[in-house]
Amino acid sequence: MSAVVWATVVRPRGTRVDRAWAGRVEQSEVGDTVRRAAAGDKAAWDAIVESFSGLVWSIATSYRLGQADAAEVVQTTWLRLVENLDRLREPERLGGWLATTAGREALRLLRLRGREIVTDDEGRFDDAPSALPNPEETALGAERKRQMRRAFAKLPERCRRLLHLVIVVSPPYAEVAAALEMPIGSIGPTRARCLDRLRKLLDADGGSGSAVGC
């Protein structure tokens, strides 16, 4: 990779960015753009950052990190890309690489924070019920979560990644398509099939598949 150092600007969440990523880098051109950036083409690097910043930010903030920690995850993810730009085995799958790296960095930071959930939005707790759930309700809730985790773990990896992106992270479909290298039009039907499989796995485990949202 070129010795030129490129500074990635950390864009605070909520700052408006152009989500029409295909206007900067066509999906069919991602691999070539990565190779040009690795060769020292700053315009190619800028196009990558502009095209995938929304996806990286969406992944970072999906872990309920505070603003400063989410910004650190984003910055570290871009740093990892700079370090590996000329070593990516499949540069055309850059979206998936960035999504995976951002998720790993978020989990690493959570471990460093002692698994403490950090948030800048203290108001999110204002609507919490004043009365604590009784022990039976707590036990039932814990069991439902365990059943959901077991069922989710049995899904194919592609289903797990898709549901995590679409339901938990919830970026624009263009960014999901970029991360998973799939046509935008197939995201909805694939999501429905994955949810149906999850319902069946829950039913087989004695849980309630009807609890899985559509």
Side-chain angles (χ1 to χ4, degrees):
M1 180 179 174
S2 169
V4 176
V5 177
W6 296 323
T8 300
V9 177
V10 175
R11 192 192 309 275
R13 189 185 185 194
T15 300
R16 184 176 178 82
V17 297
D18 181 9
R19 292 296 189 141
W21 80 280
R24 296 301 306 273
V25 182
E26 294 288 347
Q27 190 165 354
S28 61
E29 298 176 353
V30 171
D32 181 63
T33 303
V34 170
R35 285 185 282 270
R36 288 192 290 110
D41 187 335
K42 186 177 183 300
W45 171 259
D46 289 343
I48 288 171
V49 173
E50 184 67 22
S51 299
F52 291 97
S53 284
L55 173 64
V56 176
W57 267 103
S58 294
I59 295 289
T61 55
S62 74
Y63 286 83
R64 296 178 67 191
L65 294 167
Q67 185 67 51
D69 285 342
E72 181 177 339
V73 168
V74 171
Q75 187 75 345
T76 303
T77 299
W78 288 118
L79 176 60
R80 296 286 177 263
L81 179 58
V82 170
E83 294 170 343
N84 294 279
L85 197 57
D86 56 353
R87 295 197 293 271
L88 296 181
R89 293 182 179 179
E90 298 178 289
E92 66 279 0
R93 296 186 175 182
L94 177 63
W97 188 94
L98 287 170
T100 299
T101 302
R104 288 174 178 170
E105 291 300 327
L107 289 172
R108 179 188 64 80
L109 192 58
L110 283 173
R111 287 194 293 269
L112 289 177
R113 298 287 187 267
R115 299 184 181 276
E116 177 184 1
I117 296 178
V118 183
T119 177
D120 293 332
D121 185 9
E122 297 180 0
R124 72 166 63 236
F125 300 108
D126 291 345
D127 296 329
S130 57
L132 294 175
N134 61 49
E136 182 180 359
E137 291 173 337
T138 301
L140 288 173
E143 177 58 25
R144 280 194 292 268
K145 290 179 181 179
R146 284 192 292 270
Q147 290 173 334
M148 181 66 75
R149 284 195 295 267
R150 287 195 298 267
F152 191 81
K154 293 177 182 177
L155 289 172
E157 180 182 358
R158 191 166 181 82
C159 273
R160 294 198 304 268
R161 293 184 64 192
L162 175 64
L163 293 180
H164 177 77
L165 280 174
V166 173
I167 297 176
V168 179
V169 181
S170 192
Y173 269 18
E175 294 174 8
V176 176
L180 299 180
E181 294 91 35
M182 63 188 300
I184 292 179
S186 68
I187 293 175
T190 304
R191 171 180 178 269
R193 288 193 295 271
C194 290
L195 286 174
D196 185 57
R197 294 186 70 165
L198 183 60
R199 291 189 191 95
K200 291 177 180 177
L201 286 168
L202 279 170
D203 288 338
D205 193 32
S208 175
S210 62
V212 179
C214 297

